């Protein structure tokens, strides 16, 4: 363990040796977290906009819940989803436990508050007079919301990055509701835990390297997109 | 036409107008010191806020807020004191109102930009415009949707004379074309240059309204006289 | 235009992710319900402790059962407590665990039937090479623990309510001790075996580990050496360190959705002579010794 570079070299060799299994869990990581982020986006952007732009009964409670949700430990979410999807649980008939669907559900619950909360604060940061101006130009409430989301697109992108970051590196929930089943619910993070537990540190490090490279590539891509979207 | 309209923010009544008629096809200048309720009046006229009491009649129809058809809302627009542009190109800003209405007409956008003398800057980001240019874009953005009623909230405040001239020329053209215009200003000379009718607002109350000649030549209310002679201390 | 493009991109996200994943297993594409008993490719869900899965034993033996039965075995490797809990909730069809008392409670509660002994492995005590408590080759684990306590030498505990942790607590109890984190030399980690060995390596501490994890982790923890428990399972002088595994079929009367039709043949297969031979041979090539012995612990 002394020479980290040496370990890294071994790690890459190991990766190349067991390529198909590694690619499979990498793909599943992307699929599960990508789908969860997609769902969080579809629900979180409108929710964040609603909370930023409208006042209604229970709004403050909802905001407090979202802020709480942003700090929930993934394993706690996983436990709740497990109890929900267990065959003895209320949604047991779905037979989702230990499937990617269960993992997507859990990760959606983890990332939704992040996406909604950060979207809300982004929109709240926009000039309130702009809303009035857009309305005066004849925008319907929906059109105002769309324009504001576009106006604060940098903030929305950050919300999505933060939401993705919260789940791609998350292990507690997917381990519990996915079960880390080889070939069906094993993702990068649970594989890392497994290999560490087994004492296969080289492999654990190699997988960590894959996870890092993946998130780095995604964040780099988003950064470039952000620059393109906001360039002068 | 406004009847018995009032607006409160919290406990403070910022505007109370017994009766004010805005004539179609004419230009009304609203004069008055800061804090007189001029901007509040414009927001009410653009249906952006709901009056706490009273009624607003538009084009012979009583306006019921909350059930206002989008088509009616879209006949009226406002250019505010600050340009409030979207973070995109000049072209996209001007085209915005048309896109909301589901029709982007290239020629209309070009024509609007030409009227404010900015057709060469169409691809530029709105963020790098000067204050005067930005306000001209804001005006073009309103022009392009050909509103029946154009509301202007101190559109030339803090602008240099060249920009003021360009904007006033556009307003004069619209006036000739028969657009109903309400312009809030505290420049007496601008009111004289641009308006057919003048209304004076003070402390949320309508002091006097009438034709331009009448107000400037023979003000009935002593406060109007004081205001137009520049003797009013505020 | 730009706004529409952004929205289109956002809407595409889940689709893109779905495209990227299409070659992954079969589960995402299939409708829920395929895991049920009557589906074309039946699935047997096995909850087990990390030791059987992490040692690679299941990878070595399960393909034979899958070939024989045409079923896919999905392994959920977790702590003993959680594995039994999964069985108690009917979320798995069969459990393979090592925790005598909890197994009996599981049967008593009506959650499981048909319990069979499958195999045993053993625990060993590892510690720093200089062995400050002087426990090397002590034939009794309890005596070694007493020496560690007397020397106030650092000891790290799993502290995670795992089977290994339970065994450690029972050894302390046998000498009338219940050490807690308030003692300066006793560290309760709440971690898995691999992490606990790393910690012991860094702290120069003693710890109790199962032999399989020790053998596979040994190369990464150079400061540690095996002190008590002998070179192989057969050589272990202290039979209290033996660790028997049972397979328990989840009770179909209590959980009608479990795949009982597959669970019973699985339990029978696991205890068959052919499988026993494979279990005995497992690890011999890599470590020169068996990691599990397929009979009732002596």
């Amino acid at each position: 363990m002394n020479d980290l570079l040496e370990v890294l070299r071994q790690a890459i060799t190991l990766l190349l040796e067991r390529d198909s299994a590694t690619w499979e869990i990498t793909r599943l990581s992307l699929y599960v977290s990508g789908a969860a982020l997609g769902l969080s986006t579809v629900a979180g952007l409108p929710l964040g906009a609603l909370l930023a732009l409208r006042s209604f009964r229970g709004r403050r409670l909802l905001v407090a819940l979202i802020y709480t949700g942003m700090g929930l430990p993934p394993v706690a979410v996983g436990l709740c989803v497990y109890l929900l999807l267990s065959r003895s649980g209320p949604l047991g008939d779905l037979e989702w436990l230990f499937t990617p669907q269960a993992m997507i559900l859990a990760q959606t619950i983890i990332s939704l508050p992040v996406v909604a909360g950060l979207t809300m604060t982004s929109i709240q940061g926009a000039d309130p007079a702009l809303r009035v101006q857009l309305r005066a130009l004849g925008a319907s409430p929906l059109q105002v919301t769309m324009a504001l989301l576009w106006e604060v697109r940098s903030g929305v992108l950050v919300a999505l990055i933060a939401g993705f970051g919260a789940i791609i590196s998350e292990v507690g929930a997917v381990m519990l509701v996915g079960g880390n089943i080889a070939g069906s619910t094993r993702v990068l993070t649970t594989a890392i835990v497994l290999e560490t537990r087994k004492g296969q540190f080289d492999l654990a490090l190699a997988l960590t390297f894959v996870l890092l490279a993946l998130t780095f590539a995604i964040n780099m891509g988003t950064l470039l997109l952000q620059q393109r979207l906001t360039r002068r | 036409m406004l009847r018995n309209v009032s607006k409160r923010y919290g406990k403070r009544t910022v505007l109370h107008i017994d009766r004010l008629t805005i004539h179609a096809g004419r230009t009304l200048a609203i004069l008055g010191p800061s804090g007189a309720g001029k901007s509040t009046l414009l927001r009410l006229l653009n249906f952006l806020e709901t009056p706490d009491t009273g009624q607003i009649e538009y084009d012979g129809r009583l306006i019921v807020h909350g059930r206002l058809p989008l088509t009616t809302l879209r006949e009226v627009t406002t250019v505010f004191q600050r340009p409030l542009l979207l973070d995109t190109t000049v072209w996209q800003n001007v085209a915005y109102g048309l896109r909301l209405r589901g029709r982007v007409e290239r020629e209309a956008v070009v024509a609007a930009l030409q009227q404010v003398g900015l057709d060469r800057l169409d691809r530029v980001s709105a963020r790098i415009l000067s204050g005067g240019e930005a306000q001209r874009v804001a005006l073009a953005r309103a022009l392009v949707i050909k509103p029946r009623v154009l509301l202007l909230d101190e559109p030339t405040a803090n602008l240099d004379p060249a920009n003021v001239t360009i904007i006033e020329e556009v307003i004069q053209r619209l006036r000739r074309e028969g657009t109903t215009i309400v312009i809030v200003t505290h420049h007496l000379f601008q009111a004289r240059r641009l308006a057919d009718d003048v209304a004076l607002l003070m402390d949320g109350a309508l002091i006097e309204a009438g034709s331009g000649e009448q107000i400037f030549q023979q003000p009935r209310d002593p406060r109007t006289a004081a205001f137009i002679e520049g003797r009013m201390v505020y | 235009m730009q706004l529409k493009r952004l929205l289109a991109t956002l809407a595409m996200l889940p689709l893109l992710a779905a495209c990227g994943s299409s070659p992954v297993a079969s589960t995402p594409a299939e409708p829920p319900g395929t895991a049920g008993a009557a589906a074309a490719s039946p699935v047997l869900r096995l909850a087990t402790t990390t030791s059987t899965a992490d040692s690679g034993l299941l990878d070595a033996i399960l393909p034979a059962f899958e070939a024989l039965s045409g079923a896919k075995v999905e392994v959920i490797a977790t702590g003993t407590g959680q594995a039994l809990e999964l069985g108690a909730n009917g979320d798995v069809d069969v459990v393979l665990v090592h925790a005598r008392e909890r197994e009996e409670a599981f049967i008593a509660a009506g959650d499981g039937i048909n319990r069979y002994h499958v195999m045993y492995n053993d625990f060993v005590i590892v510690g720093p090479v200089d062995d400050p408590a002087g426990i090397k080759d002590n034939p009794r684990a309890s005596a070694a623990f007493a020496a560690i306590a007397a020397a106030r030498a650092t000891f790290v505990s799993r502290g995670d309510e795992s089977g290994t942790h339970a065994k450690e607590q029972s050894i302390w109890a046998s000498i009338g001790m219940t050490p807690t984190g308030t003692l300066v030399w006793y560290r309760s980690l709440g971690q898995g075996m691999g992490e606990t060995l790393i910690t012991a390596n860094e702290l120069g501490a003693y710890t109790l580990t199962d032999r399989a994890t020790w053998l596979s982790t040994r190369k990464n923890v150079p400061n540690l050496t095996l002190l008590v428990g002998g070179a192989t399972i057969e050589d272990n002088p202290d039979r209290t360190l033996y660790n028997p595994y049972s397979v328990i079929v989840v009770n179909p009367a209590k959980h009608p959705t479990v795949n009982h039709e597959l669970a019973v043949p699985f339990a029978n297969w696991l205890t068959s002579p052919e499988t026993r031979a494979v279990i005995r041979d497992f690890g011999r090539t890599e470590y020169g010794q068996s990691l599990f012995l397929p009979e009732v612990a002596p």
Side-chain angles (χ1 to χ4, degrees):
Chain A
M1 288 295 289
N2 298 331
D3 193 351
L4 216 86
L5 273 177
E6 174 60 15
V7 173
L8 201 65
R9 197 191 57 78
Q10 285 179 1
I12 294 167
T13 317
L14 270 169
L15 272 188
L16 296 175
E17 277 168 14
R18 40 166 274 156
D19 48 356
S20 76
T22 307
W23 293 127
E24 203 173 284
I25 60 175
T26 307
R27 271 195 299 265
L28 189 66
S29 274
L30 272 179
Y31 167 68
V32 167
S33 297
L37 181 68
L39 291 172
S40 298
T41 306
V42 169
L45 295 195
L47 181 61
L50 186 78
L51 290 169
L53 300 176
R54 301 267 180 284
S55 50
F56 50 89
R57 270 176 67 97
R59 179 188 169 275
R60 256 193 254 183
L61 179 70
L62 204 55
V63 171
L65 281 175
I66 281 179
Y67 283 153
T68 311
M70 287 168 85
L72 267 186
V75 65
V77 174
L79 187 60
C80 294
V81 172
Y82 165 70
L83 292 172
L84 208 63
L85 294 180
S86 166
R87 285 191 186 157
S88 317
L91 296 180
D93 291 341
L94 286 176
E95 298 196 359
W96 273 16
L97 192 64
F98 305 136
T99 66
Q101 287 99 310
M103 299 157 80
I104 291 169
L105 176 63
Q107 293 205 334
T108 303
I109 294 172
I110 294 167
S111 57
L112 178 60
V114 178
V115 173
L118 293 182
T119 300
M120 180 185 76
T121 50
S122 296
I123 294 179
Q124 282 170 339
D127 189 344
L130 182 62
R131 275 168 71 183
V132 180
Q133 171 70 82
L134 296 175
R135 191 87 181 113
L137 285 167
S140 67
L142 180 67
Q143 288 170 326
V144 171
T145 305
M146 293 298 207
L148 286 178
L149 280 173
W150 177 250
E151 192 67 12
V152 299
R153 54 199 178 273
S154 287
V156 171
L157 268 182
V158 169
L160 297 186
I161 287 186
F164 189 71
I167 53 179
I168 189 73
S169 59
E170 174 278 320
V171 61
V174 283
M175 181 69 97
L176 206 62
V177 304
N180 191 27
I181 297 168
S184 96
T185 59
R186 183 162 299 164
V187 291
L188 280 170
T189 53
T190 57
I192 292 168
V193 170
L194 173 72
E195 298 304 338
T196 307
R197 216 165 58 190
K198 284 161 67 172
Q200 302 286 334
F201 298 155
D202 300 347
L203 201 49
L205 206 66
L207 293 167
T208 306
F209 182 70
V210 174
L211 181 63
L212 273 177
L214 192 70
T215 41
F216 179 78
I218 287 167
N219 284 329
M220 204 64 209
T222 319
L223 201 68
L224 291 175
L225 180 69
Q226 189 176 25
Q227 272 175 1
R228 262 186 65 98
L229 290 178
T230 57
R231 78 175 159 200
R232 295 180 171 230
Chain B
M1 178 192 275
L2 280 70
R3 249 174 299 176
N4 204 24
V5 163
S6 74
K7 178 71 191 172
R8 284 192 307 270
Y9 292 125
K11 284 188 180 147
R12 204 166 77 94
T13 301
V14 292
L15 188 69
H16 186 97
I17 291 176
D18 292 328
R19 191 180 192 84
L20 173 65
T21 305
I22 295 158
H23 302 283
R26 289 171 71 91
T27 297
L28 168 69
I30 298 177
L31 290 172
S34 304
K38 304 187 298 280
S39 297
T40 306
L41 177 59
L42 281 199
R43 285 198 294 273
L44 287 170
L45 292 175
N46 206 161
F47 320 119
L48 297 170
E49 288 185 16
T50 316
D52 293 304
T53 65
Q55 294 160 333
I56 297 174
E57 205 177 274
Y58 171 77
D59 202 15
R61 280 167 293 157
L62 204 61
I63 296 301
V64 183
H65 283 269
R67 275 197 286 134
L68 180 72
L70 203 55
T71 48
T72 308
L73 180 79
R74 285 179 172 174
E75 290 178 1
V76 186
T77 192
T78 307
V79 174
F80 291 93
Q81 189 176 346
R82 280 194 296 139
L84 294 166
L85 298 181
L86 292 163
D87 182 8
T88 173
T89 61
V90 167
W91 174 277
Q92 291 293 344
N93 265 286
V94 175
Y96 182 71
L98 290 176
R99 228 176 45 218
L100 292 177
R101 289 155 177 79
R103 41 167 233 263
V104 179
E105 295 145 15
R106 235 191 107 70
E107 299 73 27
V109 177
V110 173
L113 278 168
Q114 276 170 347
Q115 282 198 54
V116 298
L118 288 176
D119 44 319
R120 285 169 183 280
L121 291 182
D122 61 345
R123 289 182 183 283
V124 161
S125 162
R127 263 189 286 172
I128 62 166
L129 298 177
S130 71
E133 287 166 342
Q135 188 62 315
R136 279 148 64 195
V137 171
L139 185 62
R141 179 170 63 174
L143 290 182
V144 79
I145 57 181
K146 298 192 168 49
R148 283 183 68 187
V149 181
L150 177 63
L151 310 173
L152 301 155
D153 192 353
E154 304 194 33
T156 60
N158 313 318
L159 294 189
D160 60 87
N163 277 304
V164 173
T165 306
I166 294 171
I167 288 174
E168 286 195 2
E169 274 171 10
V170 173
I171 296 170
Q172 292 286 19
R173 186 178 310 128
L174 288 171
R175 198 180 157 198
R176 285 196 299 275
E177 288 167 8
T179 307
T180 308
I181 298 170
V182 179
I183 176 167
V184 163
T185 178
H186 42 216
H187 292 287
L188 286 174
F189 291 109
Q190 188 170 53
R192 274 183 203 253
R193 282 196 298 271
L194 297 176
D196 303 306
D197 303 316
V198 174
L200 182 70
L201 223 57
M202 252 179 229
D203 292 331
L206 181 65
I207 301 300
E208 189 169 356
S211 72
E213 295 118 64
Q214 183 251 306
I215 296 283
F216 287 117
Q217 313 295 329
Q218 300 157 315
R220 289 192 202 101
D221 193 291
R223 286 171 292 178
T224 313
F227 186 83
I228 60 176
E229 284 161 29
R231 284 188 281 110
M232 177 145 300
V233 180
Y234 54 85
Chain C
M1 280 302 282
Q2 278 167 309
L3 184 64
K4 271 185 194 149
R5 223 178 297 145
L6 175 77
L7 289 171
T9 316
L10 292 180
M12 290 278 288
L13 273 176
L15 294 176
L16 287 174
C19 296
S21 78
S22 42
V24 174
S26 50
T27 333
E30 290 176 79
T34 32
S41 174
V43 171
L44 179 76
R45 280 192 171 149
L46 165 68
T48 183
T49 63
T50 50
S51 51
T52 53
D54 295 0
S55 63
L57 173 71
L58 293 178
D59 290 339
I61 64 171
L62 287 181
F65 179 75
E66 290 181 332
L68 210 66
S69 64
K72 179 174 166 19
V73 182
E74 292 193 339
V75 177
I76 294 124
T78 173
T80 299
Q82 196 189 337
L84 287 170
E85 197 61 31
L86 291 175
N89 286 336
D91 292 323
V92 292
D93 309 311
V94 62
V95 293
L96 174 63
V97 291
H98 59 100
R100 274 287 139 85
E101 285 168 22
R102 297 174 85 162
E103 288 166 26
E104 277 151 18
F106 185 75
I107 305 266
D111 289 316
I113 52 171
N114 304 24
R115 171 164 166 249
Y116 302 104
H117 296 294
V118 178
M119 60 192 181
Y120 70 95
N121 66 348
D122 65 341
F123 294 108
V124 294
I125 302 172
V126 299
V129 179
D130 60 353
D131 189 17
I135 64 168
K136 186 159 175 60
D137 295 330
N138 193 320
R140 305 222 39 95
S142 53
F145 270 35
I148 291 168
R152 298 164 65 84
T154 310
F155 184 94
V156 292
S157 164
R158 289 275 295 268
D160 62 349
E161 303 295 327
S162 59
T164 307
H165 185 212
K167 170 59 75 179
E168 179 214 315
Q169 285 173 314
S170 77
I171 298 173
W172 288 118
S174 73
I175 55 170
M177 287 187 70
T178 42
T180 61
T182 53
L183 298 169
V184 281
W185 54 271
Y186 187 84
R187 308 280 173 85
S188 181
L189 298 185
Q191 296 260 38
M193 198 67 251
E195 294 90 332
T196 302
L197 283 170
I198 300 168
T199 310
N201 183 59
E202 297 301 327
L203 293 179
Y206 294 94
T207 192
L208 184 74
T209 171
D210 64 283
R211 190 181 295 274
T213 308
W214 163 249
L215 288 175
S216 64
T217 313
R218 193 167 48 178
K219 63 181 185 304
N220 291 315
V221 287
N223 302 335
L224 297 181
T225 184
L226 192 154
L227 295 168
V228 173
T232 65
I233 303 181
E234 293 93 333
D235 291 341
N236 196 329
D238 188 345
R239 290 185 177 182
T240 62
L241 289 177
Y242 284 162
N243 179 40
Y245 287 77
S246 307
V247 63
I248 307 176
V249 174
V250 174
N251 187 355
K254 192 163 178 182
H255 301 290
T257 51
V258 297
N259 195 344
H260 188 62
E261 293 72 25
L262 209 48
V264 173
F266 176 76
N268 289 331
W269 169 83
L270 201 54
T271 49
S272 68
E274 295 79 17
T275 308
R276 283 169 188 272
V278 183
I279 291 175
R280 183 181 297 279
D281 284 344
F282 176 69
R284 290 220 164 144
T285 345
E286 198 170 349
Y287 304 112
Q289 58 178 286
S290 298
L291 297 185
F292 297 90
L293 292 179
E295 51 244 7
V296 177

